[in-house]
Amino acid sequence: MSAQSNKDQMSKVTASPVPMRLYDGARIGKIPPIVLYLRGRAFLDKDRGEVERPIAKAMAETGAIVLEADYGTISHNVFPKAMECAFQALTDIARRRKEFGASVKSPLFVAGDEAGGNVAAGVALKARDLLPGELKGQMLFSPMVDPQMATASFRTADTLGMREAWSDGWSHYIGSFFQHPYAAPCLCSRLAKVAPALIITSEDDPLHDEVLSYAERLKASDVEVFQHVFAANCGWTSLYKEGTGKWIPSFCTQFSQFIKSVH
């Protein structure tokens, strides 16, 4: 998509209190799923800019209506404002489905990678509490959910030059809210009745252990969980640098299957 096309797409959603980008995609079916997408960058992203995220574009090309909310610029990536901005975007999308090309019956999802995955998990918890039944699923792609950063995978894996960024990001984001369940979902003691989850990581992902631990805690709370672990050579961890890799076709399959399973 060209820069001008990006601006055209963004102009369609300027009425939203939280700036959002509408990704151009396939628009398959009369009742396409609509996805609120939250990008990562370790809670340190000062400006979303015009660069599209490959993972969001892949979801759009698979047939979903994908709206990326710029929760970080307004909130300065600080909890609770960051999560509140993302939740406001979700409620706005829920009210205005048809304006974005969806149907009033289009199922609503929240998705995020890395830091955005943390915020997406927090949004899913808040949606359970304040919008019961509205959110059909949460999609967490290598989400940062554990501020302690002490898992075996984190200690032993190649952290891709992200260790310092993640440490700084957690300190910046969480502040004094270390044990707030919306800020650090892995510490939440009440996960029951949250929306079904698609959780993805890879064998060589530094966040592998905390991601799968959160998946197990969701399962133990009787939440429906679909999880996928990519092989180490698929390039999944390129998502931390906004890259692509051999994971994209399989990712699209996992995404499509999850949508069908919960809708």
Side-chain angles (χ1 to χ4, degrees), residues 127-258:
R128 174 204 58 192
D129 298 337
L130 299 182
L131 298 172
E134 188 71 66
L135 189 65
K136 298 305 179 185
Q138 56 180 314
M139 294 176 275
L140 312 178
F141 311 133
S142 288
M144 290 171 61
V145 291
D146 186 357
Q148 299 180 75
M149 300 183 296
T151 64
S153 66
F154 193 91
R155 292 195 307 268
T156 61
D158 174 8
T159 50
L160 310 167
M162 296 295 295
R163 186 186 300 274
E164 183 176 354
W166 283 333
S167 179
D168 291 346
W170 269 120
S171 296
H172 174 77
Y173 177 69
I174 208 166
S176 62
F177 294 93
F178 185 84
Q179 294 192 6
H180 195 292
Y182 294 168
C186 74
L187 302 177
C188 182
S189 61
R190 192 172 64 89
L191 296 174
K193 298 183 180 180
V194 74
L198 171 63
I199 296 181
I200 297 180
T201 181
S202 66
E203 293 173 345
D204 58 341
D205 184 4
L207 304 182
H208 171 279
D209 289 0
E210 65 189 76
V211 170
L212 294 189
S213 176
Y214 189 60
E216 291 305 313
R217 293 196 61 240
L218 288 171
K219 293 175 188 177
S221 298
D222 293 325
V223 176
E224 190 173 17
V225 175
F226 302 76
Q227 69 183 52
H228 183 75
V229 180
F230 282 111
N233 63 354
C234 76
W236 171 252
T237 53
S238 67
L239 68 89
Y240 298 135
K241 305 293 184 181
E242 300 186 3
T244 60
K246 294 185 289 184
W247 54 270
I248 288 182
S250 180
F251 168 82
C252 291
T253 298
Q254 297 293 325
F255 172 77
S256 296
Q257 290 177 346
F258 177 67

Side-chain angles (χ1 to χ4, degrees), residues 107-123:
L108 179 63
F109 297 85
V110 63
D113 55 79
E114 198 232 27
N118 173 296
V119 179
V123 166

Side-chain angles (χ1 to χ4, degrees), residues 31-46:
I31 308 178
I34 187 163
V35 180
L36 167 64
Y37 167 68
L38 308 169
R39 71 163 58 194
R41 289 194 175 176
F43 298 120
L44 299 174
D45 195 5
K46 297 180 180 179

